Amino acid sequence: HRHAIMYTSGTTGRPKGAMITHAAYLALIADWARELEADAGNKILLSMPFFHIGSRSQGGALTYVGGTMVILRAFEAQKIVETIPAERITQLHLAPTLVQQVLDLPGQERHDFSSLKTLNYAAAPMPYTVLRRALDRFGRIMINGFGQTEGAGCVLKKFYHRPDGDARDLKRLTSVGQATTGTRVAILDEHDREVAPGVIGEICFRTPTAMSGYWNNSTASIETLRHGWLHTGDVGCMDDDGFVYLVDRKKDMIVSGGENVYSREVEEALMAHPAVADAAVIGVPDEKWGEAVLGVVVTKPGQAVAAADLIKHCRGHIAGYKCPKRIEFVPQLPRLPSGKISKVTLREQFARPVAGA
């Protein structure tokens, strides 16, 4: 009854083959058809690789309802903005970094995007500053799905994308939404016990979209699916209304001086600087602190900022112990085919200790 073996992105190491049954795939594409508001006659534009679950699930959703897939061989911002009006595209799936490239494309504002009714930016969290720009350009048509190759779990619906709302609305914009139909989401501690709202733990799903296990890897299968929960390896918390807030990958969490530092919070602080186009944060060995926070930054074209000024900027947004001890500037961040930043590559490149930290 196996539909496919889909390989994970490999954000924390070697990709694993998730065994997806026909029942799980049908549950997945039915969920996405609902969230995309897909119907017969609709068209989705896909430019992300089909060897990952993203395009397979989004394209499957349109097939499920009798719609059409329009496929580009690779992502190219110019092709995206030209194809949307030419084909009257109704659904669009782009990772956050690709949305940013479309927004930064000179002349994109001259293209007509009025045919679009849903833009799904699932794949990775979108920095708040980029999300605000995207909502201004595309309108209130955006959704964010949170899941992984092994199974899906949450969606932040269009209804909750309210950048001009109150403080609660703005906070929800930074979440990955609530559980999808038929899915239960829980935040579990190291003993697989549910924690109270607001407490950080591992995000886990009980979902009909879950894989049956990893191909030829029973040890990882047992660990990931223990006690009936799909353990995502993502750290987060949930509020009283069931909105899930993604904090970090478990293996990306930095422990500096005995304090937990979650890279996404630091990345959001870096991205809030007007000269920063992209940022990633990793922990590097440090004799004094165990690990030190390192920021890897891409600046916007024609703009520059001193490392010391960026660190000072971060101190205005987050606690001092969370701020980067060092900043490295690079022309672009290494990314996996899924659009996610390859922190494995960054650690290999910058794992030397922080001098004088």
Side-chain angles (χ1 to χ4, degrees):
H1 303 297
R2 193 176 299 133
H3 163 71
I5 298 174
M6 299 296 297
Y7 277 79
T8 61
S9 293
T11 50
T12 57
R14 187 178 176 84
K16 296 185 287 289
M19 297 184 289
I20 312 297
T21 65
H22 287 283
Y25 185 64
L26 282 170
L28 180 67
I29 62 177
D31 264 357
W32 277 118
R34 257 191 311 274
E35 301 301 341
L36 290 168
E37 297 182 11
D39 203 350
N42 283 182
K43 292 181 177 180
I44 191 165
L45 179 57
L46 299 170
S47 61
M48 294 177 69
F50 270 80
F51 54 80
H52 280 305
I53 200 68
S55 281
R56 287 288 291 270
S57 63
Q58 306 303 287
L62 269 289
T63 304
Y64 182 75
V65 298
T68 300
M69 290 185 283
V70 178
I71 302 169
L72 299 180
R73 284 191 173 272
F75 172 82
E76 188 182 324
Q78 187 65 42
K79 283 276 189 187
I80 294 287
V81 301
E82 291 171 355
T83 305
I84 291 170
E87 295 285 347
R88 301 300 294 167
I89 298 298
T90 52
Q91 280 86 6
L92 184 60
H93 175 227
L94 291 176
T97 183
L98 306 184
V99 173
Q100 186 169 353
Q101 288 183 48
V102 168
L103 293 172
D104 290 342
L105 181 72
Q108 58 82 12
E109 65 281 353
R110 296 194 297 270
H111 294 270
D112 178 15
F113 295 165
S114 62
S115 62
L116 288 174
K117 66 178 185 177
T118 308
L119 193 167
N120 177 18
Y121 58 95
M126 185 181 289
Y128 179 71
T129 50
V130 180
L131 182 56
R132 287 297 302 257
R133 288 178 64 203
L135 286 165
D136 287 343
R137 177 63 177 99
F138 294 102
R140 305 292 176 86
I141 67 166
M142 303 187 74
I143 63 172
N144 184 20
F146 169 67
Q148 49 190 195
T149 311
E150 295 89 337
C154 297
V155 169
L156 183 65
K157 297 175 181 289
K158 297 175 190 177
F159 179 76
Y160 294 115
H161 282 75
R162 304 176 192 165
D164 50 1
D166 59 21
R168 186 183 65 170
D169 293 325
L170 294 179
K171 184 184 178 187
R172 285 176 175 173
L173 264 183
T174 66
S175 79
V176 290
Q178 298 166 302
T180 55
T181 306
T183 291
R184 186 173 170 223
V185 180
I187 310 298
L188 305 183
D189 65 15
E190 64 272 20
H191 304 294
D192 282 349
R193 297 176 301 210
E194 290 192 50
V195 300
V199 176
I200 289 173
E202 184 171 5
I203 303 169
C204 297
F205 302 142
R206 276 190 173 142
T207 170
T209 68
M211 67 172 184
S212 59
Y214 293 116
W215 176 251
N216 284 342
N217 195 337
S218 58
T219 302
S221 299
I222 292 166
E223 176 67 15
T224 301
L225 298 172
R226 66 186 186 273
H227 301 146
W229 289 99
L230 170 60
H231 292 70
T232 66
D234 286 308
V235 177
C237 62
M238 188 188 300
D239 67 17
D240 290 316
D241 297 314
F243 287 83
V244 175
Y245 295 82
L246 182 63
V247 175
D248 215 341
R249 287 291 297 171
K250 238 181 170 180
K251 293 183 180 179
D252 289 341
M253 189 179 75
I254 303 160
V255 182
S256 184
E259 297 284 352
N260 292 343
V261 179
Y262 299 105
S263 58
R264 189 183 173 205
E265 184 181 10
V266 189
E267 287 160 359
E268 288 282 351
L270 287 167
M271 289 291 293
H273 192 284
V276 173
D278 210 353
V281 167
I282 57 172
V284 293
D286 182 85
E287 287 185 9
K288 181 179 179 182
W289 302 107
E291 282 188 295
V293 180
L294 168 67
V296 186
V297 170
V298 179
T299 55
K300 292 177 181 174
Q303 297 196 39
V305 59
D309 291 337
L310 259 187
I311 295 169
K312 182 180 178 182
H313 160 83
C314 287
R315 288 183 181 276
H317 289 75
I318 54 178
Y321 73 89
K322 298 178 181 180
C323 293
K325 295 285 195 298
R326 186 175 94 219
I327 301 288
E328 293 281 354
F329 294 97
V330 295
Q332 61 182 25
L333 294 174
R335 290 189 180 271
L336 301 161
S338 61
K340 297 176 183 178
I341 294 167
S342 176
K343 293 196 173 180
V344 172
T345 303
L346 288 177
R347 288 192 195 95
E348 291 171 352
Q349 188 175 353
F350 296 112
R352 70 183 188 276
V354 176

